[in-house]
Amino acid sequence: AFLGQLYHAYSLHEPARIAYHNATILAPRDYRWFYLKGRVCQEQGRLEEALEHFATVRTLNPDYLACTVHQGLALLELGRQRPEIAVLDADLYKSTRTVLFREEFPERFIDVGISEADMISMAAGMAASGLIAYANSFAMFITTICYLPLRIQIAYPRLNVKLVGSSAGLTQGPDGASHQSLEDIALMR
């Protein structure tokens, strides 16, 4: 499994897949192997296979999956139930797992690129037209970069926009200070 993680980190997908497969043979009911296999499948665009692996993880150890995986699965389920839901992401759809929604509902998914403030403006427009917009990014970006558009375009008119900020606080440690925020919750009070 360690070799699988190492191969995966260097985008060597086929060796990673083989290493994960061998790990599941050695420890067939260890939820971590299924999680890693799910991540590889997701990054290779094999969504159905990834969802099967994540479902196995949920069965074996429901507390293990990252919050973003639960977020992605929840958005997918909401999208299946409610056609008025649209999802926006700021070039982080693999990290925030909105890729799951994108694969099933491409017509209701918008990747705005590295443009969080524009994403908020688009979400406000969607909400004003009757859609329920879920705007996703890292908490640092969706709170600090977007504070003024959030205040003026969403809060004042009380629009139905859901802000989803993942990786809050210091949880993005390896990405450095530009991705860390201690003021994110204070700004949104």
Side-chain angles (χ1 to χ4, degrees):
F2 173 74
L3 280 175
Q5 287 179 312
L6 188 60
Y7 290 138
H8 182 72
Y10 289 98
S11 298
L12 301 170
H13 299 299
E14 187 57 24
R17 187 191 64 74
I18 293 167
Y20 293 146
H21 176 73
N22 291 339
T24 58
I25 291 170
L26 296 173
R29 302 313 295 166
D30 191 324
Y31 60 89
R32 292 170 294 194
W33 313 146
F34 290 99
Y35 174 73
L36 295 172
K37 285 172 61 177
R39 289 285 310 273
V40 169
C41 291
Q42 178 185 331
E43 290 193 8
Q44 291 178 345
R46 300 184 344 244
L47 183 62
E48 288 303 317
E49 196 175 340
L51 290 174
E52 288 173 18
H53 293 308
F54 291 145
T56 303
V57 172
R58 235 192 298 187
T59 301
L60 296 173
N61 185 351
D63 297 329
Y64 181 73
L65 288 178
C67 291
T68 54
V69 173
H70 289 292
Q71 169 193 329
L73 294 171
L75 278 174
L76 181 60
E77 188 57 36
L78 280 171
R80 289 174 177 158
Q81 295 172 9
R82 303 189 63 186
E84 69 274 17
I85 289 178
V87 174
L88 299 99
D89 206 301
D91 202 36
L92 294 167
Y93 52 89
K94 288 185 179 177
S95 295
T96 61
R97 303 302 194 281
T98 57
V99 66
L100 302 172
F101 188 94
R102 182 189 80 164
E103 294 297 322
E104 190 156 331
F105 305 108
E107 71 284 357
R108 293 192 278 152
F109 179 86
I110 299 174
D111 177 11
V112 301
I114 304 172
S115 188
E116 284 83 356
D118 290 331
M119 176 178 67
I120 296 305
S121 296
M122 293 169 73
M126 294 170 127
S129 68
L131 295 172
I132 301 171
Y134 282 77
N136 298 269
S137 187
F138 288 157
M140 166 63 174
F141 304 145
I142 209 162
T143 56
T144 58
I145 294 171
C146 301
Y147 184 73
L148 187 60
L150 286 171
R151 185 171 181 247
I152 303 296
Q153 297 172 358
I154 293 176
Y156 282 170
R158 298 176 185 255
L159 293 176
N160 191 7
V161 173
K162 313 300 183 197
L163 303 174
V164 185
S166 66
S167 307
L170 300 176
T171 59
Q172 284 298 99
D175 291 334
S178 66
H179 287 59
Q180 299 169 354
S181 174
L182 297 178
E183 64 271 26
D184 50 6
I185 294 174
L187 282 169
M188 294 296 111
R189 286 187 58 222

